[in-house]
């Protein structure tokens, strides 16, 4: 057995590791084999590892499906210590971020978080990130591991006219996420965590907390995540992370909490319709194509990097991101092409006489047999003409055209009280 | 479950159990572990003529797709319907109930021994 040629990670040299197959992750060889502060905890738990942006991170502990289901029904614990954390500090930090990022960062309150984008001058996406306002003059910018350096560099450069400083604190911050419907119940019962008012912490808000018998370790707890479930992301010092992880597992084990790897994280975020950098987002993608037009504060702020590119916009026929649903079990995978007809013989000659007849109308960016829904789902960029919900398309699954319908995103939405 | 030390192996992470002129074929525990949870298996129908080294089936996990290669020239005698119905057998019992195909052959190529395969995967 060998893997196919679709670009999925190879057996055996590279485990099929979820988002580890992002191009930027596999080409970043500057820092191979970086280890999380929780590495020995994962080894002890029997994790399989994958290279992700130069980090050895758990891809799964036992079964990616079991880990996926645990997050949907109880809770899962993720090590995200590879993420980049960049602090912007100073009197004009909010102005600097308004200029550097796509969103109006100055509008968020202390404690609030905001999903945003770092755009190129042309309006393409350099990275997607979450910004936490941790003080009047202090912001924590959380970037994808593979983009940490470029984000820090761009923030430094773009904020230089402003009175503020940029610190890449990624090496001094560990990140543990607890995700799933029982997250609050578990987190609120962990001995040693003092987090007053946690019950009232809103989605995309954060608060300070402490950990340890004497409250000696500072935490930042945010009600954010990348799974489509309720949950929290907990920032701590790296040397505190192992005890924190253990305390969470000890408290949550009886409630169904399991350690969860990057493979389940990828299927969870896919079901939740959340884009992944390198798959749905990239330098050649305008936010509006990815359905992220609302993230760009064109109307509420003045000059920012990427504004001109965004105003010019993508070409009228630029592809847009859609959700696809198929029957059966065969999933479209990243890179598979989409066609309008069931077989090449039926492809309409849309431009009679020229070579575009029967051309692909789109391409899959992420896909899997949805563990929660039981049918294959995919995100894909398609021509606007075939982007309407209900449009019937065909995914070329290794030479066989598999029917797929355009459906709204997300595929999965949790029931909220 | 078959005695792993008595099986023969390919560099494509398949195992072969030879009984007379029948080869029973599956993927190794190493390959199953690397694939992750197998959710879909596509196997050739009985009677299909297969050629050594050619793709005859697919093994899909949530995140990856593996191809099944015919380890011999021959004819498919049987595909494992139990695995088609319950693909997780590939993970839970790769050397036993997770077998994939039985192929009749006339000429048996040289395979890897258990020790050679173990050395190959470094485990």
């Amino acid at each position: 057995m060998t893997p196919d040629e679709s670009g999925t990670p190879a057996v055996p040299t590279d485990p099929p590791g979820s988002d580890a197959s992002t191009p930027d992750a596999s080409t970043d060889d500057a820092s191979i084999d970086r280890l999380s502060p929780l590495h020995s905890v994962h080894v002890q738990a029997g994790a399989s590892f994958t290279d992700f942006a130069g980090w050895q991170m758990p891809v799964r502990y036992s079964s990616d499906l079991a880990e996926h289901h645990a997050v949907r029904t109880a809770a899962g614990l993720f090590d995200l210590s590879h993420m980049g954390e960049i602090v912007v500090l100073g009197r004009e930090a909010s102005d600097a971020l308004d200029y550097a990022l796509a969103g109006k960062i100055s509008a968020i309150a202390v404690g609030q978080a905001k999903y945003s984008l770092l755009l190129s001058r042309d309006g393409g996406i350099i990275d997607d990130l979450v910004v936490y306002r941790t003080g009047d003059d202090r912001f924590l910018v959380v970037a994808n591991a593979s983009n940490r350096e470029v984000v820090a560099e761009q923030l430094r450069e773009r904020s230089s006219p402003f009175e503020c400083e940029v610190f890449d604190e990624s090496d001094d911050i560990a990140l543990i996420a607890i995700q799933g419907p029982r997250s609050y119940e578990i987190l609120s019962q962990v001995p040693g965590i003092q987090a007053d008012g946690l019950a009232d912490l809103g989605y995309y808000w954060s608060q300070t907390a402490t950990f340890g018998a004497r409250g000696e370790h500072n935490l930042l707890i945010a009600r954010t995540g990348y799974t489509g479930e309720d949950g929290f992301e907990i920032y701590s010092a790296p040397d505190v992370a192992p005890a924190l992880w253990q305390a969470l597992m000890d408290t949550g084990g009886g409630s169904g909490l399991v350690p969860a790897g990057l493979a389940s994280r990828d299927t969870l975020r896919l079901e939740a319709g959340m884009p992944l950098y390198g798959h749905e987002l990239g330098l050649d993608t305008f936010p509006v194509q990815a359905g992220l037009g609302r993230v760009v504060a064109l109307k509420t702020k003045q000059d920012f990097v990427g504004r001109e590119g965004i105003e010019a916009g993508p070409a009228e026929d630029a592809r847009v991101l859609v959700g696809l649903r198929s029957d059966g079990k065969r999933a479209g995978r990243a890179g598979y092409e989409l066609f309008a007809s069931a077989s090449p013989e039926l492809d309409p000659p849309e431009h009679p006489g020229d070579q575009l007849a029967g051309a692909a109308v789109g391409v899959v960016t992420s896909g899997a047999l949805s563990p929660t829904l039981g049918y294959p789902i995919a995100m894909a960029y398609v021509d606007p003409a075939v982007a309407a919900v209900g449009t019937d398309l065909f995914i070329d699954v290794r030479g066989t055209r598999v029917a797929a319908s355009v459906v709204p995103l997300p595929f999965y939405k949790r029931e909220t009280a | 479950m078959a005695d792993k030390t008595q099986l023969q192996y390919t560099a494509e992470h398949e195992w072969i159990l030879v009984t007379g002129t029948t080869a029973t074929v599956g993927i190794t525990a190493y390959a199953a572990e690397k694939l992750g949870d197998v959710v879909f298996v596509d196997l050739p129908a009985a009677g299909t003529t297969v050629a050594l080294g050619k793709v005859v089936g697919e093994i899909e996990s949530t995140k990856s797709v593996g191809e099944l290669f015919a380890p011999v020239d021959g004819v498919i005698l049987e595909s494992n319907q139990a695995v088609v119905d319950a693909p997780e057998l590939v993970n839970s019992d790769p050397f036993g109930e997770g077998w994939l195909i039985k192929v009749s052959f006339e000429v048996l190529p040289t395979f890897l021994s258990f020790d050679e395969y173990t050395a190959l995967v470094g485990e």
Side-chain angles (χ1 to χ4, degrees):
Chain A
M1 188 210 69
T2 64
D4 74 341
E5 294 162 6
S6 67
T8 45
V11 174
T13 51
D14 197 354
S18 68
D19 25 20
S21 56
T22 51
D24 43 315
S26 53
T27 54
D28 177 8
D29 57 5
S31 51
I32 277 172
D33 282 351
R34 300 194 59 184
L35 300 181
S36 154
L38 291 161
H39 189 76
S40 60
V41 176
H42 303 320
V43 171
Q44 233 169 7
S48 306
F49 292 88
T50 185
D51 174 67
F52 185 69
W55 292 73
Q56 285 291 306
M57 298 303 289
V59 63
R60 72 179 63 80
Y61 295 82
S62 53
S63 148
D64 15 278
L65 287 176
E67 291 161 23
H68 181 110
H69 293 310
V71 172
R72 288 278 180 253
T73 57
L77 202 59
F78 297 86
D79 177 10
L80 307 175
S81 297
H82 57 304
M83 302 285 285
E85 289 93 4
I86 296 140
V87 170
V88 183
L89 182 66
R91 200 176 60 81
E92 292 183 324
S94 68
D95 298 326
L97 289 170
D98 276 353
Y99 174 69
L101 302 179
K104 191 166 186 186
I105 309 302
S106 59
I108 63 174
V110 174
Q112 208 173 356
K114 193 175 181 68
Y115 177 79
S116 198
L117 299 169
L118 182 75
L119 300 174
S120 70
R121 299 213 168 263
D122 300 334
I125 300 170
I126 297 174
D127 199 13
D128 67 331
L129 27 82
V130 176
V131 184
Y132 299 89
R133 188 166 204 166
T134 54
D136 276 331
D137 299 339
R138 188 178 188 281
F139 295 83
L140 176 66
V141 178
V142 179
N144 283 303
S146 52
N147 290 329
R148 162 195 168 179
E149 281 85 6
V150 66
V151 171
E153 181 188 304
Q154 285 298 318
L155 287 179
R156 258 185 217 113
E157 191 180 310
R158 296 176 186 193
S159 65
S160 60
F162 300 90
E163 196 179 305
C164 67
E165 286 189 89
V166 175
F167 305 95
D168 183 348
E169 300 201 345
S170 306
D171 293 336
D172 299 317
I173 298 178
L175 175 54
I176 295 170
I178 180 169
Q179 298 278 303
R182 304 190 78 169
S183 296
Y184 170 72
E185 171 197 323
I186 294 165
L187 183 57
S188 62
Q189 290 176 19
V190 175
I193 292 186
Q194 276 295 323
D196 297 335
L198 188 66
D200 300 322
L201 189 66
Y203 186 55
Y204 262 71
W205 284 80
S206 67
Q207 65 171 75
T208 56
T210 63
F211 176 63
R214 300 176 306 284
E216 63 271 38
H217 305 301
N218 292 318
L219 306 177
L220 178 72
I221 300 182
R223 205 156 199 164
T224 47
Y226 194 53
T227 60
E229 296 299 333
D230 185 22
F232 300 85
E233 295 182 307
I234 310 167
Y235 297 86
S236 74
D239 59 345
V240 175
L244 183 60
W245 180 279
Q246 194 57 52
L248 282 156
M249 282 308 304
D250 289 347
T251 306
S255 305
L257 177 70
V258 301
L262 291 178
S264 61
R265 184 170 158 84
D266 193 41
T267 46
L268 287 159
R269 70 93 195 166
L270 172 61
E271 288 181 346
M274 294 171 159
L276 172 62
Y277 193 85
H279 284 239
E280 285 74 36
L281 308 179
L283 265 179
D284 55 355
T285 315
F286 284 85
V288 68
Q289 291 177 266
L292 296 174
R294 65 187 152 75
V295 174
V296 186
L298 266 183
K299 294 197 176 78
T300 56
K301 63 179 190 178
Q302 298 302 312
D303 189 33
F304 61 91
V305 179
R307 180 175 196 112
E308 280 172 28
I310 295 288
E311 282 177 341
E316 215 165 274
D317 59 351
R319 287 178 173 175
V320 292
L321 188 67
V322 298
L324 295 171
R325 171 189 176 158
S326 305
D327 294 327
K329 300 285 179 192
R330 303 186 92 191
R333 309 268 174 180
Y336 291 9
E337 291 194 307
L338 289 158
F339 293 90
S341 9
S343 78
E345 297 76 51
L346 299 173
D347 283 337
E350 49 185 317
H351 303 278
D354 83 18
Q355 294 171 347
L356 279 177
V361 296
V363 63
V364 172
T365 48
S366 297
L369 177 61
S370 164
T372 305
L373 304 169
Y375 51 78
I377 57 173
M379 288 198 270
Y381 277 98
V382 301
D383 292 344
V386 294
V389 167
T391 306
D392 290 322
L393 296 174
F394 298 88
I395 307 174
D396 184 344
V397 179
R398 303 180 291 285
T400 307
R401 291 196 182 180
V402 172
S405 296
V406 177
V407 294
L409 291 171
F411 303 101
Y412 166 86
K413 207 168 181 180
R414 72 186 154 107
E415 291 170 24
T416 46
Chain B
M1 178 164 152
D3 179 355
K4 284 185 284 184
T5 62
Q6 299 305 308
L7 299 174
Q8 303 187 70
Y9 296 87
T10 70
E12 284 76 38
H13 307 285
E14 291 170 10
W15 58 261
I16 298 105
L17 172 67
V18 176
T19 318
T21 57
T22 301
T24 304
V25 182
I27 67 167
T28 64
Y30 178 86
E33 147 79 18
K34 289 298 181 193
L35 268 174
D37 290 325
V38 174
V39 293
F40 176 71
V41 176
D42 186 34
L43 299 176
T48 306
T49 300
V50 299
L52 190 158
K54 297 292 186 211
V55 175
V56 294
E58 291 180 345
I59 305 134
E60 283 200 50
S61 67
T62 44
K63 282 306 294 167
S64 201
V65 186
E67 291 180 329
L68 179 69
F69 292 88
V72 293
D73 287 328
V75 176
I76 300 291
L77 298 172
E78 188 184 351
S79 288
N80 188 354
Q81 187 59 37
V83 159
V84 173
D85 295 338
E88 60 271 22
L89 287 173
V90 175
N91 296 105
S92 60
D93 192 9
F95 294 107
E97 290 182 53
W99 67 272
L100 299 173
I101 51 173
K102 291 182 196 281
V103 196
S104 72
F105 64 87
E106 288 176 8
V107 181
L108 200 63
T110 307
F111 295 121
L112 303 175
S113 69
F114 175 73
D115 288 343
E116 288 166 335
Y117 180 71
T118 305
L120 177 76
V121 299
E123 287 193 353

